[in-house]
Amino acid sequence: MDGRSSDLHDTCMIDTLSDIFSKLSVKGTLYFRTSFSGHWGVSVPNYKNVARFHFAHRGDCTVRLPASGEMLHLAQGDLIIIPHGAAHDLISGPDQAHRSLPLDQVLETSGYQGDGTLVYGDADSNRETQLICGHFSFAPNARHLIFDRLPPYIHIKNYGEPAGRWMDATLRMIGDEAGRTQFGGDLIALRLSEVILAQALRCFIETQGHNYSGLAGFADPKLAQALAAFHNAPANDWTVADLAREAGMSRTGFAVHFADKMGIPPMQYLTNWRMQIACQSLGQDHASIAEVAARTGYSSESAFSRVFKKEMGISPAAFRGRACA
């Protein structure tokens, strides 16, 4: 891929990710900046509808995934994302798993009050690990295959380097701002952290996405153009032929290629995403069902309601009542 094509592909992917994040109300939340010293271990519990992240700002540690027993070395400058919020342990080294204590107990023992830096471990030790820890939350009922198909963890080594100088500067700024007492420090770090997930996913998809059904389409330059066009105007009366033209492919070739890379046919992807838009609209604002139908590309309220009930197993009105209860 030449430089011009690569730039276009990056733009398409970022545009699509931006739309997905916006529609699913993805928001960053910082837990804390840590100062862990000596021998220590923290067990982070399972949590639904989140993707957890840890960035090694200074020093290193080991991340243990109890579900698989894997041990990952998080070196200084590394970023790890746990996409599905699974339980995991942060420990000072592979031999310290027995020292791991529940996060709530660590917070209580350290006297951490929710601001500043979480200080924990052996005060007399010269070995310090500074982590920036947080998560990205998703709106209730939010679903998209780009998140569903992610592996149990994403480990990006020396994250600042592949992401470029600006990301390295962003990470350094988060490290400097998180936990500071100056006005707005945590807010700045929080907003910057929301950039991290998009950039990390782009980096992962570009380097490893071709190995995962459902992610491979975002890594494919032609499909990425079609996906970006659809996400830019989901209410349009899209057909497979329309999407194929956006990708610069024949209709048949596009349909086969899309299904191979994404794991579902093109029109099913469109329907799935329109239903997500509908779910968020029904649950978060006061738009009428007819207005939601128009937003999602259906010519009538009845046509929209039929598809919604088929895909979601419940009528739009019942979904709204349940979401607002």
Side-chain angles (χ1 to χ4, degrees):
M1 192 188 308
D2 60 32
R4 191 171 180 179
S5 298
S6 177
D7 289 345
L8 177 60
H9 177 225
D10 286 351
T11 299
C12 289
M13 190 187 300
I14 286 297
D15 286 348
T16 303
L17 288 175
S18 176
D19 181 59
I20 293 169
F21 284 18
S22 174
K23 295 295 194 306
L24 300 187
S25 299
V26 177
K27 292 182 173 61
T29 298
L30 291 175
Y31 297 141
F32 38 64
R33 175 176 174 174
T34 76
S35 177
F36 291 152
S37 54
H39 300 297
W40 52 270
V42 180
S43 292
V44 182
N46 175 65
Y47 203 76
K48 293 182 179 180
N49 295 323
V50 302
R52 296 187 184 275
F53 74 88
H54 305 286
F55 174 66
H57 180 60
R58 184 174 300 167
D60 66 325
C61 70
T62 296
V63 181
R64 177 176 175 270
L65 302 172
S68 63
E70 288 182 84
M71 294 261 193
L72 308 169
H73 179 233
L74 197 68
Q76 182 169 309
D78 285 7
L79 173 75
I80 188 167
I81 295 178
I82 314 292
H84 310 297
H88 55 284
D89 301 328
L90 303 171
I91 51 181
S92 55
D95 60 340
Q96 299 300 314
H98 65 286
R99 287 179 171 266
S100 188
L101 296 177
L103 176 59
D104 287 346
Q105 186 176 339
V106 170
L107 295 175
E108 182 179 353
T109 301
S110 67
Y112 182 69
Q113 298 297 313
D115 55 9
T117 301
L118 170 61
V119 180
Y120 180 68
D122 302 330
D124 296 332
S125 174
N126 292 323
R127 184 177 184 272
E128 182 191 25
T129 299
Q130 292 185 9
L131 302 174
I132 300 164
C133 304
H135 73 224
F136 307 99
S137 62
F138 308 94
N141 304 305
R143 294 292 301 273
H144 190 275
L145 60 78
I146 201 170
F147 297 118
D148 293 345
R149 305 289 177 83
L150 287 172
Y153 65 86
I154 296 172
H155 182 194
I156 302 179
K157 299 181 180 180
N158 197 16
Y159 184 49
E161 183 174 312
R165 290 184 179 179
W166 72 273
M167 182 53 69
D168 183 59
T170 299
L171 289 166
R172 291 178 184 277
M173 188 176 293
I174 290 175
D176 291 341
E177 294 289 348
R180 292 181 68 175
T181 57
Q182 284 91 335
F183 179 74
D186 279 346
L187 177 61
I188 292 170
L190 175 61
R191 292 295 175 254
L192 289 171
S193 74
E194 294 177 5
V195 177
I196 302 301
L197 181 59
Q199 181 61 28
L201 285 182
R202 184 175 77 165
C203 182
F204 176 77
I205 289 170
E206 287 179 339
T207 57
Q208 301 181 51
H210 59 278
N211 295 320
Y212 296 88
S213 175
L215 301 182
F218 296 94
D220 184 283
K222 292 185 176 181
L223 295 187
Q225 291 183 58
L227 287 165
F230 164 66
H231 277 272
N232 187 53
N236 283 4
D237 187 18
W238 290 101
T239 65
V240 175
D242 294 332
L243 293 170
R245 277 192 293 272
E246 294 290 342
M249 301 174 67
S250 69
R251 182 189 181 284
T252 301
F254 172 80
V256 171
H257 192 55
F258 190 100
D260 178 57
K261 296 293 184 181
M262 300 293 283
I264 58 174
M267 298 312 290
Q268 185 61 52
Y269 179 90
L270 269 63
T271 299
N272 289 352
W273 183 238
R274 284 168 170 165
M275 293 303 100
Q276 281 301 307
I277 295 174
C279 286
Q280 302 315 314
S281 296
L282 291 168
Q284 294 177 5
D285 61 34
H286 301 291
S288 68
I289 293 176
E291 288 172 324
V292 175
R295 285 180 194 174
T296 51
Y298 293 91
S299 58
S300 69
E301 182 178 334
S302 59
F304 164 70
S305 295
R306 282 195 300 273
V307 175
F308 189 92
K309 187 169 184 178
K310 177 184 176 183
E311 296 296 324
M312 308 304 296
I314 188 173
S315 71
F319 181 92
R320 167 167 279 166
R322 184 179 296 178
C324 297

